[in-house]
């Protein structure tokens, strides 16, 4: 019985100095408790822990590495007063967010020594993320020696992209030698909202053409045809595509050579394009936050208003392009911090979509629903729908699905 065997699933998202965790009961898909350890490896390490529906508990801890951070998290999960399980033995499986799976992983996978080596090999493509994700995996293997671990990759869903969409028009040898191609990110979120859209529309995902917009600090769009990705806006790295909180999105690549010839080092240019660009670079207030941008624009700051329009223009450009490539769309989905919450952020996009039959219903857009809801007018040919994403639940679902299917294969 996989339902019983894998009921309590811990989801771990391990960063270079942080570890995010959430414990789910899969029988009802409810989140029992969650937490975040930050500043791992420093004397200021701290944990914020919260049981579902209860106040947060924050405290300084000693966590010189990810193993110690996880041990502290586990202590809280199994604490007689503030915990949610009697013992750590109640945790049946662990799902890990892993950023880059390159071409090696087109699906989630049970973690073995070989899988860990492959994740390490992919570090070349995600040097900041994959080693940190591995730290989290190793910590779990130590704290939970007999519990299965599953890796769920941000890139996996996008592996369904066709070659004509994922290749760059540079000499083919760079693809063959270095794996330079489009991989795409936020795959777990795009997959979650696509499935939720199918449920909402009461149609099988296999029959739908969807444009999913994950708009947060990092943003990407995916064109999804019958559950397979046709194209997406991020690339070999999360830098291209949309205008983000601090990332530039699409620019003329020759700007990089131009700046290098002006005397900037590659590291300096990397820092400018990844950390000082996007909304931060253009809104005139130096903040990458959409709320700050909207407030500044409302107070008449012209650069902030321009930043909003640049953001909307770029998103609409991709939606229009994907609409054409898909041959129409059954829905445009908005998710992520901006997609779910920013009334003006959605307006600057949808006000540009009249040509594809999507018209904003101002009242519905302002209603700020917390569940799935349509924000386009009834007469819109192409509905715009807000769908709150839940990447952690998706990782838990993937972990359950994979382990349950392995059980079935083994005939258990
Ligand atoms: P990340 O990519 O880091 O996960 P989020 O998905 O949390 O980021 O998105 C952060 C963005 O969402 C910020 O630009 C923020 O301004 C915006 N945002 C978050 N909550 C709200 C809100 N309640 N109203 C308007 N904008 C919001």
């Amino acid at each position: 019985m996989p339902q019983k065997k894998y009921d309590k699933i811990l989801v771990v998202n391990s960063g270079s100095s942080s570890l995010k965790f959430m414990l789910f009961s899969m029988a009802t898909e409810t989140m029992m408790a969650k937490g975040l350890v930050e500043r791992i490896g420093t004397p200021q390490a701290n944990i914020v822990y919260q049981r579902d529906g209860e106040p947060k508990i924050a405290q300084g801890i000693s966590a010189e590495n990810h193993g110690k951070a996880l041990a502290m998290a586990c202590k809280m999960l199994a604490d007689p007063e503030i915990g949610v399980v009697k013992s750590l033995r109640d945790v049946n499986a662990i799902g890990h967010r892993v950023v880059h799976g390159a071409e090696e992983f087109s699906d989630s996978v049970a973690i073995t020594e070989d899988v860990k080596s492959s994740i390490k090999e992919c570090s070349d493509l995600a040097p900041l993320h994959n080693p940190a994700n591995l730290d989290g995996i190793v910590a779990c293997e130590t704290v939970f020696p007999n519990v299965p671990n599953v890796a769920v990759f941000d890139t996996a869903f996008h592996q369904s992209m066709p070659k004509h969409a994922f290749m760059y028009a540079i000499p083919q040898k760079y693809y063959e030698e270095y794996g330079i191609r489009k991989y795409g990110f936020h795959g777990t979120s795009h997959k979650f909202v696509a499935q939720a859209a199918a449920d909402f529309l009461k149609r099988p995902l296999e029959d739908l053409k969807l444009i999913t917009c994950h708009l947060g600090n990092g943003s990407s769009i995916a064109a999804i045809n019958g559950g397979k990705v046709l194209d997406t806006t991020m690339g070999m790295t999360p830098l291209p595509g949309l205008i983000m909180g601090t990332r530039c999105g699409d620019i003329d690549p020759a700007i990089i050579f131009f700046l290098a010839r002006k005397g900037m080092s590659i590291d300096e240019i990397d820092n400018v394009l990844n950390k000082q660009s996007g909304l931060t670079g253009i809104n005139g207030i130096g903040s990458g936050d959409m709320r700050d941008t909207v407030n500044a624009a409302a107070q008449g700051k012209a650069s902030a208003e321009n930043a909003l329009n640049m953001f909307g223009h770029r998103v609409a450009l991709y939606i229009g392009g994907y609409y054409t490539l898909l041959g129409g769309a059954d829905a445009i989905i908005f998710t992520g911090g901006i997609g779910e919450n920013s009334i003006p952020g959605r307006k600057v996009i949808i006000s540009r979509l009249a040509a594809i039959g999507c018209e904003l219903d101002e009242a519905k857009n302002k209603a700020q629903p917390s569940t799935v809801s349509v924000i386009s007018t009834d007469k819109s040919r192409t509905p715009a729908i807000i769908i709150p994403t839940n990447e952690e639940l998706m990782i838990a679902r993937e972990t359950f699905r994979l382990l349950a299917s392995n059980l079935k294969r083994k005939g258990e």
Side-chain angles (χ1 to χ4, degrees):
M1 280 300 280
Q3 267 79 4
K4 244 185 151 170
K5 193 166 162 103
Y6 298 119
D7 181 48
K8 305 269 184 309
I9 295 184
L10 182 67
V11 172
V12 171
N13 181 354
S14 175
S16 57
S17 65
S18 69
L19 189 136
K20 231 178 177 176
F21 61 94
M22 254 187 213
L23 185 67
F24 287 91
S25 169
M26 297 311 285
T28 48
E29 288 199 336
T30 43
M31 194 268 291
M32 304 169 76
K34 64 178 176 181
L36 170 67
V37 185
E38 283 183 300
R39 300 195 181 92
I40 297 172
T42 75
Q44 290 81 34
N46 76 302
I47 187 166
V48 178
Y49 169 85
Q50 188 176 24
R51 275 203 296 209
D52 187 31
E54 291 186 21
K56 288 180 180 166
I57 300 169
Q59 67 184 63
I61 56 168
S62 129
E64 55 266 36
N65 55 40
H66 286 74
K68 292 270 164 56
L70 182 72
M72 194 61 208
C74 290
K75 208 170 151 213
M76 293 178 118
L77 286 170
D79 185 271
E81 273 177 31
I82 58 166
V84 286
V85 288
K86 278 206 192 96
S87 135
L88 289 185
R89 279 196 298 275
D90 292 346
V91 174
N92 306 121
I94 306 170
H96 295 266
R97 177 193 182 212
V98 180
V99 166
H100 220 304
E103 289 189 339
E104 180 98 19
F105 299 106
S106 55
D107 198 358
S108 307
V109 63
I111 297 174
T112 60
E113 288 305 314
D114 284 350
V115 167
K116 282 195 286 179
S117 304
S118 299
I119 293 173
K120 200 166 178 189
E121 275 163 32
C122 300
S123 294
D124 200 20
L125 292 164
L128 296 179
H129 292 101
N130 273 31
N133 300 152
L134 266 177
D135 284 343
I137 292 170
V138 172
C140 286
E141 287 175 335
T142 314
V143 177
F144 296 93
N146 298 312
V147 174
N149 287 279
V150 171
V152 180
F153 299 90
D154 276 18
T155 50
F157 185 44
H158 298 299
Q159 280 296 305
S160 50
M161 236 184 316
K163 194 165 185 180
H164 59 263
F166 75 63
M167 289 292 288
Y168 291 121
I170 61 172
Q172 172 111 0
K173 65 177 181 184
Y174 297 112
Y175 167 58
E176 283 152 11
E177 280 173 31
Y178 301 126
I180 293 180
R181 51 158 282 180
K182 180 184 282 197
Y183 291 100
F185 298 87
H186 294 138
T188 309
S189 176
H190 288 294
K191 190 173 177 181
F192 179 87
V193 297
Q195 187 54 59
D199 294 345
F200 179 74
L201 296 168
K202 297 195 171 56
R203 289 174 59 191
L205 183 56
E206 292 68 33
D207 293 351
L208 291 175
K209 296 172 191 290
L210 298 169
I211 299 171
T212 52
C213 308
H214 178 109
L215 309 174
N217 279 320
S219 298
S220 67
I221 307 184
I224 302 172
N225 195 358
K228 293 203 162 84
V229 176
L230 175 63
D231 206 345
T232 189
T233 56
M234 284 181 168
M236 181 175 103
T237 73
L239 188 57
L242 306 180
I243 292 169
M244 306 181 219
T246 63
R247 292 183 214 136
C248 58
D250 292 341
I251 58 167
D252 175 349
I255 292 168
I256 297 165
F257 325 136
F258 182 88
L259 291 176
R261 289 182 189 121
K262 288 279 176 200
M264 284 174 73
S265 72
I266 288 297
D267 285 343
E268 281 167 344
I269 300 170
D270 186 332
N271 187 272
V272 165
L273 301 185
N274 272 296
K275 305 252 172 73
Q276 299 173 39
S277 298
L279 295 177
T280 304
I282 56 178
N283 60 17
I285 53 170
S287 161
D289 197 284
M290 180 54 87
R291 280 167 291 203
D292 297 341
T293 310
V294 165
N295 289 341
Q299 283 160 19
K301 193 156 180 77
S303 49
E305 200 182 333
N306 186 47
L308 264 181
N309 282 320
M310 285 173 71
F311 172 83
H313 178 102
R314 181 74 55 84
V315 175
L317 171 77
Y318 272 108
I319 291 176
Y322 288 168
Y323 184 91
T324 303
L325 290 173
L326 286 166
D330 293 295
I332 302 166
I333 310 303
F334 290 87
T335 196
I338 297 170
E340 290 170 35
N341 302 300
S342 178
I343 298 163
R346 292 189 298 253
K347 186 172 172 173
V348 289
I349 299 164
I350 299 175
S351 61
R352 290 172 162 85
L353 300 181
I356 63 165
C358 184
E359 183 189 57
L360 187 68
D361 183 316
E362 298 267 0
K364 288 182 188 161
N365 187 40
K366 284 188 183 139
Q368 281 305 39
S370 56
T371 53
V372 178
S373 56
V374 177
I375 50 163
S376 48
T377 57
D378 293 343
K379 67 175 205 281
S380 290
R381 189 173 75 240
T382 313
I385 309 175
I386 299 175
I387 300 186
T389 195
N390 192 336
E391 288 164 275
E392 290 81 8
L393 175 57
M394 191 70 202
I395 292 172
R397 280 183 185 166
E398 285 284 297
T399 303
F400 180 84
R401 176 184 64 81
L402 192 98
L403 294 173
S405 74
N406 284 356
L407 268 192
K408 210 167 156 197
R409 229 170 354 103
K410 287 190 211 148
E412 283 179 38

